[in-house]
Amino acid sequence: MSEEKHVRISQCMIVKNEEKNIERALSWGRDMMWEQIVVDTGSTDRTVELARKMGAKVFTFPWQDDFATAKNYAIEKAGGEWIAFLDADEYMGAEDVKSFQKLLDELELNCYDGISTGWQQLDSQGKIFASGTQIRFFRNLPDIRYRRRIHEQLISTAGRELKVGDVVSSFSIFHTGYQGEISVETVRSSRNRRMILKELQENPADHEMMGYMGDECFCDGDRGEAEHWYRQSVEFMPAQIGENDQRSAVTYTRLLMILTEKERSSWEEAGQIYEKAVKHLPKEADFDYIAGRFFAATGQAEQAVFHLELALEKMNTYGCSNRALILAGNLLDAYELLVRCCYEAGEKQKCVSYGAVYLQYDKYSMSVLSRLLMMLAMTEDERDGAGQQIAEDQGRINQTVLEFFSKYYDFSDLKDRLFLVTTAKRAGSSSFAAYALTHIFTPQERSQLGLAI
């Protein structure tokens, strides 16, 4: 740790049994921190020993089923001008640390109370599966403290609005906390429910806490109970909410998922929630993505295309920072649904356009390729029923189709060639399959592989 930095940063964290994370937690930003404060709430492993060994100031604080109280205790122990409050299972990348230090020096000239960064959640393979924003860097001022036992938030105890700088597009915090064992998650869920209920006893109209309770039930597989809490949350939401209200977006999104995925579900019930959701959060793409999935599953292709296109338009226009979390993680699924539904609706140009986008990322989807072939190449039934002039032009059509697919398939790769021909046969495009065999396979290859024209 250095005492020569212009801005003195106190890194704070509350911990319990973080033996596997504590060394990384105290290492990633060590050069940037003026001091490191660890508040232990009852560890029974080597967390405290390792933290002290690494030079952190370690304090003990009896756990009171209240994250805000424990965090505020840590803040009271901090002497820096700024606080960096990350959990033990969170960190920043090395390059971000270097740049962030310079950013804080420059912010000394401004009036920000805190800084909002990106927040990337990593799965067990280290891949990002969800994104959001968090305020984990803030000034060490007497009135800036946390509130609520769980899902705590920074507020000004003086009642003023905090001024927050936005660097979401430039800096991110990585969170690995969803890689734990099932037994640990079960204990955590029980603890969370208990704390949420305490909050609701004191604040029975807190729609955010209702949403968080819905999340606990949803993640535990209890969709009936989750639906109850999400409906309660919607009922208590204010008439106007912020356009970046991720909490409310999750409540609406998961409630729509529950309603549209029910056995014998109908749009009549889900549609009422959809209308409320869109009115509250018109820039949220996930609502239309879920609607599109519902209409695709119920055979209403035109409606599905409408909502899926609207979802993509919203995401492309408004981005996916604090919104479009479901769609952003399922883009290929959205395009595959569009290919299928455009095919079913007879929208040839759209089917081909969306299929072309899909093939750029996954060229081995037989369902997508089949529909493209059925749109672009003649099937046997179409060929047999075609007029004389069209039949004579069949070679030209096949050539055009083959040139189209050459943009996505490597004809020097045997796997690509076999996949294209095999899928064409299964799709009923035997004429194109025969044409492709004679143009992308040598006679020797056809003989060795037993490929008949």
Side-chain angles (χ1 to χ4, degrees):
M1 291 177 285
S2 172
E3 297 188 19
E4 299 178 358
K5 306 302 180 187
H6 182 257
V7 176
R8 298 190 306 173
I9 308 170
S10 296
Q11 181 183 12
C12 298
M13 67 184 76
I14 60 171
V15 299
K16 181 179 179 181
N17 294 333
E18 292 288 356
E19 180 181 279
K20 67 177 183 179
N21 292 319
I22 192 66
E23 291 180 294
R24 183 183 66 184
L26 293 171
S27 297
W28 65 264
R30 188 178 181 85
D31 293 338
M32 182 174 67
M33 305 304 172
W34 177 67
E35 65 177 353
Q36 292 176 304
I37 294 171
V38 174
V39 172
D40 185 75
T41 60
S43 293
T44 56
D45 62 6
R46 299 177 62 230
T47 299
V48 170
E49 174 192 342
L50 293 172
R52 284 180 175 148
K53 183 178 179 181
M54 296 189 69
K57 300 176 182 178
V58 180
F59 301 88
T60 58
F61 185 79
W63 179 243
Q64 301 174 13
D65 261 5
D66 192 324
F67 282 104
T69 298
K71 286 189 172 184
N72 290 336
Y73 175 82
I75 294 173
E76 294 293 337
K77 301 297 181 181
E81 290 92 10
W82 279 77
I83 303 288
F85 218 125
L86 279 72
D87 294 339
D89 56 7
E90 296 175 327
Y91 64 93
M92 292 182 74
E95 293 302 316
D96 277 3
V97 170
K98 294 177 183 178
S99 301
F100 204 81
Q101 187 172 291
K102 180 180 178 182
L103 173 71
L104 285 183
D105 283 340
E106 295 172 350
L107 283 178
E108 279 295 302
L109 303 175
N110 298 321
C111 302
Y112 290 126
D113 293 305
I115 301 171
S116 179
T117 67
W119 190 56
Q120 314 296 340
Q121 300 183 46
L122 307 181
D123 61 20
S124 57
Q125 282 75 47
K127 297 180 179 179
I128 297 172
F129 71 88
S131 301
T133 63
Q134 292 283 330
I135 304 172
R136 298 302 183 86
F137 294 86
F138 51 92
R139 287 187 184 275
N140 188 3
L141 298 176
D143 71 316
I144 299 180
R145 292 295 184 268
Y146 285 98
R147 74 175 183 96
R148 295 203 304 209
R149 289 178 174 83
I150 189 170
H151 301 297
E152 56 281 3
Q153 296 176 332
L154 278 175
I155 62 164
S156 166
T157 56
R160 64 187 180 87
E161 184 177 350
L162 296 181
K163 298 177 181 178
V164 180
D166 185 350
V167 294
V168 171
S169 61
S170 303
F171 299 96
S172 283
I173 292 169
F174 297 98
H175 178 228
T176 62
Y178 295 111
Q179 301 173 9
E181 298 177 359
I182 295 177
S183 59
V184 175
E185 295 304 316
T186 300
V187 172
R188 185 177 297 173
S189 176
S190 176
R191 178 204 66 189
N192 290 356
R193 289 191 186 213
R194 183 176 67 248
M195 294 165 69
I196 292 171
L197 287 174
K198 285 183 180 179
E199 281 292 322
L200 285 171
Q201 287 173 2
E202 297 176 7
N203 304 286
D206 189 335
H207 73 92
E208 291 187 343
M209 282 291 110
M210 295 172 188
Y212 286 124
M213 181 60 83
D215 290 349
E216 295 296 327
C217 300
F218 186 90
C219 293
D220 288 344
D222 189 350
R223 291 203 163 195
E225 189 69 9
E227 179 183 343
H228 163 75
W229 284 108
Y230 288 141
R231 285 188 180 276
Q232 287 286 99
S233 178
V234 169
E235 182 178 336
F236 281 92
M237 282 182 191
Q240 300 293 327
I241 59 178
E243 66 174 28
N244 294 315
D245 188 338
Q246 188 178 23
R247 172 61 265 165
S248 296
V250 171
T251 291
Y252 275 124
T253 297
R254 287 185 166 175
L255 180 54
L256 282 170
M257 290 172 65
I258 291 170
L259 296 176
T260 56
E261 293 171 8
K262 278 183 177 180
E263 188 175 356
R264 302 187 188 89
S265 59
S266 69
W267 185 246
E268 181 178 359
E269 183 180 24
Q272 296 176 0
I273 297 299
Y274 169 84
E275 294 297 333
K276 289 182 179 180
V278 171
K279 184 177 180 180
H280 254 148
L281 297 163
K283 297 181 180 180
E284 177 55 69
D286 282 345
F287 306 151
D288 286 286
Y289 173 56
I290 293 169
R293 289 198 314 194
F294 169 80
F295 287 117
T298 53
Q300 302 176 70
E302 292 183 1
Q303 281 288 85
V305 171
F306 171 79
H307 283 286
L308 290 169
E309 288 185 327
L310 185 55
L312 291 173
E313 179 184 344
K314 288 182 178 180
M315 190 183 76
N316 291 333
T317 302
Y318 305 117
C320 52
S321 176
N322 262 18
R323 57 170 69 98
L325 301 184
I326 305 297
L327 176 58
N330 293 275
L331 269 177
L332 276 181
D333 174 71
Y335 278 104
E336 184 172 14
L337 285 176
L338 276 167
V339 171
R340 174 164 70 84
C341 293
C342 287
Y343 173 81
E344 293 173 359
E347 296 271 7
K348 178 177 180 178
Q349 185 174 349
K350 286 185 177 182
C351 179
V352 174
S353 295
Y354 291 126
V357 173
Y358 188 97
L359 291 182
Q360 293 179 47
Y361 299 96
D362 179 13
K363 60 183 177 181
Y364 297 123
S365 170
M366 188 167 285
S367 64
V368 170
L369 180 57
S370 293
R371 290 188 172 89
L372 286 178
L373 283 162
M374 287 187 282
M375 279 292 185
L376 294 170
M378 282 182 149
T379 64
E380 288 187 70
D381 291 340
E382 290 173 328
R383 183 190 62 192
D384 294 342
Q388 179 66 27
Q389 184 60 45
I390 295 178
E392 291 176 355
D393 290 342
Q394 188 168 305
R396 177 183 52 80
I397 294 173
N398 288 336
Q399 179 184 358
T400 302
V401 174
L402 190 64
E403 289 174 353
F404 173 83
F405 285 118
S406 69
K407 302 173 186 176
Y408 309 100
Y409 294 93
D410 181 0
F411 291 160
S412 67
D413 187 319
L414 180 60
K415 178 182 177 181
D416 280 18
R417 287 181 287 158
L418 285 173
F419 183 76
L420 180 62
V421 171
T422 301
T423 304
K425 289 181 177 180
R426 293 184 180 181
S429 301
S430 58
S431 173
F432 172 75
Y435 181 88
L437 276 172
T438 61
H439 286 77
I440 61 177
F441 287 89
T442 67
Q444 184 179 8
E445 286 176 325
R446 293 197 298 271
S447 175
Q448 290 176 340
L449 295 170
L451 300 174
I453 296 177

